[in-house]
Amino acid sequence: MAVARWNPTMPWRPFQQPWSPFEGIESLRNEMDRLLESFAGSPQPSGIRESVWTPRVDLLEHEQAFVLVADLPGMKEDDFNLAVQDNVLTLEGKRTFAHVENGHGRYHYSERASGTFCRRFLLSTAVNAEQITATYKHGVLEVHLPQAAEAQPKRIAVQASS
């Protein structure tokens, strides 16, 4: 039995490049964008589409409070809103860039996402809405949500019977 090196090219096209699963993904993405634009409308005149942007978030639970930390780079305090209702924390807003709004220039490449976002988090216990504090510094939002007194665990003293 002879061992032959495997060649991933098609036998009827021996001079083509070896097949790669990643080849053509960009063209597939462009075709999908073009297809979806026919349903959603044409892109903005600058050529940059507004997208659904999802900021990165951490939600921690401590013994007496929840802490939400969200990365919101390039935003101002007026660009996002926080709300708590029925144990659901909602963070929503819109990130825009000045050069996109002005319409000056032409993009050659763009990776920074802009657009609207809405994140909702179900909290496992009730929180005290009057004591919620939020700070925003260097593009990082930190929200402290103290648990309601009735939601905090209570230690029950057990007495020995004689």
Side-chain angles (χ1 to χ4, degrees):
M1 176 172 134
V3 177
R5 174 177 235 152
W6 180 70
N7 185 355
T9 59
M10 303 296 173
W12 56 89
R13 294 178 63 193
F15 299 109
Q16 82 180 58
Q17 294 291 326
W19 179 80
S20 169
F22 304 108
E23 188 175 343
I25 287 180
E26 185 65 28
S27 65
L28 175 64
R29 180 174 176 248
N30 291 337
E31 287 299 315
M32 291 298 293
D33 287 345
R34 187 181 60 75
L35 176 66
L36 292 174
E37 283 172 9
S38 66
F39 293 110
S42 62
Q44 295 177 353
S46 65
I48 299 300
R49 280 180 236 90
E50 184 176 287
S51 62
V52 176
W53 174 64
T54 306
R56 301 293 180 229
V57 174
D58 294 334
L59 180 61
L60 304 120
E61 182 176 1
H62 297 289
E63 284 186 26
Q64 297 183 6
F66 294 97
V67 178
L68 176 98
V69 180
D71 292 335
L72 304 170
M75 297 183 71
K76 299 177 195 136
E77 292 87 358
D78 297 337
D79 294 338
F80 55 87
N81 297 315
L82 282 168
V84 175
Q85 183 178 5
D86 299 329
N87 294 352
V88 176
L89 172 66
T90 303
L91 171 64
E92 60 186 341
K94 183 175 183 178
R95 182 167 82 167
T96 58
F97 298 114
H99 51 276
V100 174
E101 291 175 353
N102 295 342
H104 300 301
R106 188 181 73 176
Y107 277 96
H108 286 273
Y109 198 78
S110 177
E111 290 184 343
R112 300 183 322 152
S114 64
T116 59
F117 64 90
C118 182
R119 305 284 311 265
R120 289 189 172 91
F121 306 95
L122 180 61
L123 305 173
S124 58
T125 59
V127 295
N128 187 344
E130 289 78 33
Q131 293 183 353
I132 295 174
T133 59
T135 58
Y136 184 65
K137 186 175 182 183
H138 301 297
V140 178
L141 173 68
E142 188 169 320
V143 183
H144 291 267
L145 304 122
Q147 294 178 2
E150 60 272 5
Q152 294 179 3
K154 293 182 176 77
R155 182 160 173 82
I156 300 171
V158 179
Q159 297 180 8
S161 61
S162 34

